[in-house]
Amino acid sequence: MAFWIGAYGDAFPRSRLAVAGICVYGSGVLLMGVSPVYAATLPAMTLLGAGYITIASSLNTSIQLSVADRFRGRVLAIYFMTITGAFPIGALVQGAIAEAVGVRWTVAPSGALIILFSLWLMARPGLTSALDEHRHRRGYPPPTEAAPSTPGILR
């Protein structure tokens, strides 16, 4: 999947790729939640992984193209810190729900909510249109001579 996105991803707007990835990811989560046996869960996990790679590559590319060169490292650090910090919080919440109602009744509705979220995004393309822009298309001036770097000072 990652190879396909790298090779052909520019043929599609990143906003569509991200929303499609969210839908595929949600489908994988939903199928994993309703699968009664391990063998049926493997294709669901394949869908889940393909959706996640699509989402991650679309968002990472959009961030890197839209942030000025001198801020890119800082912005990506905050972005990845936020993402990696959200996983344990979500795991705690879903773990508590799973203890109360069971794993399948936690995972399947989560997948359904993700699919509903992707459908909501599809109905409102303006919310994701910023993923298709980058600083070169928005009229930013061409890069000039790099400013000297001073450690500890954010310019």
Side-chain angles (χ1 to χ4, degrees):
M1 188 67 173
F3 172 76
W4 182 85
I5 291 172
Y8 304 107
D10 287 341
F12 304 99
R14 281 185 300 280
S15 60
R16 282 192 194 168
L17 282 175
V19 173
I22 293 169
C23 189
V24 170
Y25 182 82
S27 300
V29 172
L30 177 64
L31 290 173
M32 190 173 69
V34 298
S35 297
V37 293
Y38 180 73
T41 304
L42 291 177
M45 291 178 78
T46 302
L47 269 180
L48 196 149
Y52 182 79
I53 292 295
T54 303
I55 297 165
S57 64
S58 299
L59 294 180
N60 291 344
T61 301
S62 294
I63 288 172
Q64 290 184 34
L65 288 174
S66 64
V67 175
D69 293 339
R70 63 186 181 166
F71 297 120
R72 189 170 296 138
R74 294 175 184 120
V75 170
L76 286 172
I78 292 170
Y79 169 69
F80 286 119
M81 186 176 63
T82 304
I83 285 179
T84 56
F87 281 124
I89 294 168
L92 284 172
V93 171
Q94 284 195 321
I97 294 170
E99 281 210 17
V101 298
V103 174
R104 290 178 75 186
W105 282 101
T106 303
V107 175
S110 297
L113 285 174
I114 294 169
I115 292 169
L116 288 174
F117 178 67
S118 71
L119 294 174
W120 183 75
L121 287 174
M122 283 181 202
R124 291 161 182 80
L127 292 175
T128 57
S129 63
L131 297 175
D132 300 326
E133 301 173 7
H134 58 80
R135 60 191 167 93
H136 303 295
R137 288 191 201 150
R138 287 190 284 174
Y140 278 81
T144 58
E145 188 177 323
S149 174
T150 306
I153 296 178
L154 181 64
R155 294 179 187 212

